[in-house]
Amino acid sequence: MIIHDKQNGLFTLHTRSTTYQMKAGPYGVLLHTYYGPRISGGDLSCLIRYADRGFSPNPDEAGADRTYSLDTLPQEFSCAGAGDFRLPALELELPDGSHVADLRYTGCEIRRGKYALEGLPAFFGGEGDADTLAVTLEDRTAQVSVELLYGVFEEYDLITRAVRVTNRGEGPVYLRQISSLCLDFQRADLDFITFDGGHTVERYLHRSPLRPGVQSVGSVRGMSSHQHNPFVILCERDAGEEHGVCYGAMLLYSGNFQAAAERSQFEDTRLTMGIHPFHFRWVLAPGETFTAPEAALVCSPGGFGPMSRQFHRVIRAHLLRDPLAGSPKPVLINSWEAFYASFDTDKLLSLAKEAAALGVELFVLDDGWFVHRDDDTSSLGDWRADERKLPGGLAGLAASLRALGLDFGLWIEPEMVSEDSELYRAHPDWVLCPPGRPHIRGRGQLVLDFTRPEVREHIFQSIRSALAGVDIRYLKWDMNRCLTQVWSPSLPAGRQGEVYHRYVLGVYDLLERFRREWPRVLIEGCAGGGGRFDAGMLYYTPQIWCSDNTDAIDRLHIQYGTSFAYPTCAMGAHVSVSPNEQNGRVTPLETRGTVAMSGAFGYELDVRALSPEEKETVSRQIAAYKDCYGLIHYGDLYRLSPPGADGVPAAWAHVSPDRREALVSVVAGSTRAARPFRTLRLKGLDPALRYRVNGGESCPGDVLMAAGYPLPAPRGDYQSFQLHLIAE
Ligand code: GLA
């Protein structure tokens, strides 16, 4: 619900459990007055105190009033150059060379339904789902107007924000920094939580108290990155899974980003999230508009659990565009860790046959299928099936798989090119690289200049002809290196600061085109695993390969961190071989299944090599996953016990929305003698119901939650088990 109190210049956005408020205050400055647990209303600008602070300048309108300073007031959208020295959401470079932006409120509009953003990912919603508030600000001197867009999804406690900047003057204006999110708090006793790591160790949770100054994470790699995620949390110091106020903020963007929190001199906090300023300089010609990527906020008055569940629900309902339209995603087998690039049709089909017999539904042919691609040194860009390996072509393979009862899926890496390729030999100038510089390679490959429509067109057409006549249900869109030497011949020197962002827009453009061309094909995102696991990609690819690390125990941490923002159904997760290919760890097959089925489930190993008992286990896993599919994919996630807690097993539960069914998964760490007995207290059940556990004993919901369930003592390392609870 959006309430505009015209008399007092107040905008109050209510969701089910939260309230957000801003006010066009004195002189038209848009002040942020409140964001937090839902309140009845009123004018929260009474919380703002005024004082004459040294070295905090006063705008001209304030006259002799030295208590009015942009440096001390909570701003709704902060600008650089006009007296607010904290993190700016907007920095402009004007034709006269000045860097001043000073915005004043000019008007607003409230609409039913959620605004959309041309060419950018965004939450979507019709009239019954969401409302839009558009607030217009203007810098009259610079002749620049700014539209702040707010989407309010009441039921999900979600508030989205986006910004449009329009040049209404006669000369060019340069955007130097832009963040859709600027959020001021009149307190600084908060913790900052980020999700960080690297390739194969993505999204480990890090929490620290805000200290004076700026703390930030971001990426200048041209991708949202393995190292830091465009999702952060600010929370009260004692906030935990089920208590304390917390604010989750995500950016729907897959390129360079920055998320920064500043604890200011007066113990206030500002959180900004937007495009990273490194090498960003966007030229806005007269009349042009720039749209900044959307940010999305959930405030939870009751801890991280409810915050995550709201994000999961709203992402599932209003961000993912699932081509399978509600029917279960197929259990897949991926050829990569089974064969890498070394296979032929017989090998593929024998693997497929074995997998089909175990209950697998989709066969994904990973890297290595196109001309001369025997290792990762060649052929990217030449999207034609290698007839040595696939004499019947992709169509022949797909038909053979169909005969085995399997759907067909394929790996591609559209943004990349190998120097040893026909494409590179024909178009050496199609890669990102300034003239005269030797190439910097990543995994031996170069990055195509996706800012250029002709490059995207070529890639689209070549993949389209590779797939002509092929019965295909799935594509894995990979991206295996960071961007360097970012320069495009398509733009003049003064506009090279647009290339990083235009690259991302190009990726989104081609993804959208793929979705239109193959509306029934499920596209899984991938960037060396989790290098581009962000809400922007999820808009185009409703699931993303979570990490190249398939070790079940490392995955506990990766999937745990990922779950703070992103739903289970979006995390690609596979059972792979033991000892694990990435870290050599030995884990039981049951445990690998338990962890992988808390995701978009599949296998990635040579199932032909499994023993009869192991095959039996795989069949049971697939049947169990299918049985619990609705719970896992549409249920609510409760994190019961984090991974890595000293000796305590990691545990989590998926609970059906009506709370009549739950799947509890438990994975113990390495074992020792004389282990203490453990009792697991469950969450999310109906205290008034009794639940049958794994078809056997019957336990009351209140007992399971208050007193707990006695865990069996594991014998051996990394044991796991699952409890399937069904209400009687
Ligand atoms: C990346 C992906 C893997 C696999 C390989 C193939 O690393 O993350 O899953 O597809 O590329 O080269």
Side-chain angles (χ1 to χ4, degrees), residues 336 366-367 411 443 476 478 480 526 528-529 545 548:
W336 183 242
D366 208 279
D367 196 356
W411 178 96
R443 208 194 190 196
K476 176 174 167 188
D478 208 344
N480 276 311
C526 177
W545 180 226
D548 272 351

Side-chain angles (χ1 to χ4, degrees), residues 16 156 242 305-314 316 563 567-568 629-640 652-664 683-685:
R16 197 157 63 169
Y156 299 99
E242 308 296 337
M307 175 204 73
S308 297
R309 289 188 283 279
Q310 287 294 49
F311 271 122
H312 298 170
R313 292 179 191 128
V314 73
R316 288 194 304 252
S563 80
T568 301
Y629 186 90
L631 264 182
I632 294 169
H633 282 252
Y634 313 119
D636 286 325
L637 177 74
Y638 288 81
R639 290 178 291 260
L640 303 176
W652 61 98
H654 291 92
V655 182
S656 64
D658 66 3
R659 301 194 288 169
R660 295 190 62 81
E661 195 182 349
L663 179 68
V664 180
K683 290 178 190 165
L685 304 179

Side-chain angles (χ1 to χ4, degrees), residues 397-414:
L397 178 67
S400 306
L401 291 169
R402 170 73 55 228
L404 293 172
L406 290 170
D407 287 336
F408 173 58
L410 190 67
W411 178 96
I412 49 174
E413 195 178 357

Side-chain angles (χ1 to χ4, degrees), residues 343-554:
F343 54 79
D344 57 27
T345 302
D346 288 348
K347 234 168 143 179
L348 295 175
L349 289 178
S350 67
L351 179 66
K353 194 171 169 196
E354 196 69 62
L358 300 174
V360 167
E361 298 159 308
L362 169 80
F363 185 92
V364 178
L365 176 55
D366 208 279
D367 196 356
W369 60 268
F370 43 101
V371 282
H372 310 305
R373 178 74 168 178
D374 295 329
D375 54 37
D376 63 14
T377 60
S378 81
S379 310
L380 290 168
D382 296 346
W383 301 111
R384 289 190 327 275
D386 188 335
E387 288 184 2
R388 292 171 308 155
K389 296 179 185 174
L390 303 167
L394 294 175
L397 178 67
S400 306
L401 291 169
R402 170 73 55 228
L404 293 172
L406 290 170
D407 287 336
F408 173 58
L410 190 67
W411 178 96
I412 49 174
E413 195 178 357
E415 299 155 68
M416 299 293 157
V417 67
S418 308
E419 284 153 290
D420 181 6
S421 70
E422 290 165 29
L423 178 64
Y424 182 77
R425 283 187 282 275
H427 299 285
D429 57 329
W430 276 11
V431 299
L432 291 176
C433 190
R437 286 197 180 270
H439 288 313
I440 295 173
R441 297 171 193 88
R443 208 194 190 196
Q445 62 201 47
L446 305 178
V447 184
L448 287 171
D449 181 358
F450 259 40
T451 70
R452 290 159 74 177
E454 68 273 24
V455 176
R456 303 199 298 270
E457 179 65 23
H458 176 91
I459 294 298
F460 175 75
Q461 292 304 347
S462 53
I463 292 174
R464 191 161 82 132
S465 49
L467 297 184
V470 180
D471 181 5
I472 187 160
R473 291 294 154 87
Y474 164 107
L475 281 170
K476 176 174 167 188
W477 178 304
D478 208 344
M479 193 257 193
N480 276 311
R481 62 158 290 180
C482 308
L483 275 53
T484 51
Q485 301 177 312
V486 168
W487 187 91
S488 169
S490 63
L491 291 164
R495 295 184 60 183
Q496 291 297 318
E498 300 177 21
V499 176
Y500 270 115
H501 182 58
R502 285 190 185 277
Y503 179 90
V504 179
L505 295 179
V507 171
Y508 290 156
D509 174 69
L510 195 60
L511 276 162
E512 194 61 38
R513 206 159 162 205
F514 268 52
R515 286 181 42 84
R516 279 201 308 275
E517 181 74 16
W518 295 288
R520 289 178 43 72
V521 168
L522 171 67
I523 307 178
E524 174 158 358
C526 177
R532 220 162 38 181
F533 203 120
D534 57 68
M537 283 306 284
L538 283 177
Y539 181 67
Y540 303 94
T541 65
Q543 70 186 47
I544 299 175
W545 180 226
C546 206
S547 175
D548 272 351
N549 187 341
T550 58
D551 169 55
I553 304 307
D554 283 354

Side-chain angles (χ1 to χ4, degrees), residues 537-668:
M537 283 306 284
L538 283 177
Y539 181 67
Y540 303 94
T541 65
Q543 70 186 47
I544 299 175
W545 180 226
C546 206
S547 175
D548 272 351
N549 187 341
T550 58
D551 169 55
I553 304 307
D554 283 354
R555 270 292 184 119
L556 288 175
H557 296 267
I558 296 168
Q559 293 175 200
Y560 170 79
T562 307
S563 80
F564 277 76
Y566 309 107
T568 301
C569 66
M571 298 184 215
H574 300 168
V575 172
S576 64
V577 76
S578 176
N580 180 265
E581 292 279 281
Q582 285 79 40
N583 64 10
R585 195 192 322 256
V586 174
T587 51
L589 180 54
E590 285 78 4
T591 299
R592 284 175 270 150
T594 299
V595 175
M597 73 172 74
S598 280
F601 185 51
Y603 289 81
E604 188 160 339
L605 75 170
D606 188 351
V607 286
R608 299 172 309 175
L610 297 178
S611 69
E613 297 74 36
E614 288 173 321
K615 286 181 188 168
E616 180 56 39
T617 304
V618 168
S619 293
R620 264 191 286 110
Q621 281 171 347
I622 294 175
Y625 174 72
K626 287 183 181 169
D627 193 30
C628 293
Y629 186 90
L631 264 182
I632 294 169
H633 282 252
Y634 313 119
D636 286 325
L637 177 74
Y638 288 81
R639 290 178 291 260
L640 303 176
S641 167
D646 193 24
V648 181
W652 61 98
H654 291 92
V655 182
S656 64
D658 66 3
R659 301 194 288 169
R660 295 190 62 81
E661 195 182 349
L663 179 68
V664 180
S665 302
V666 183
V667 179

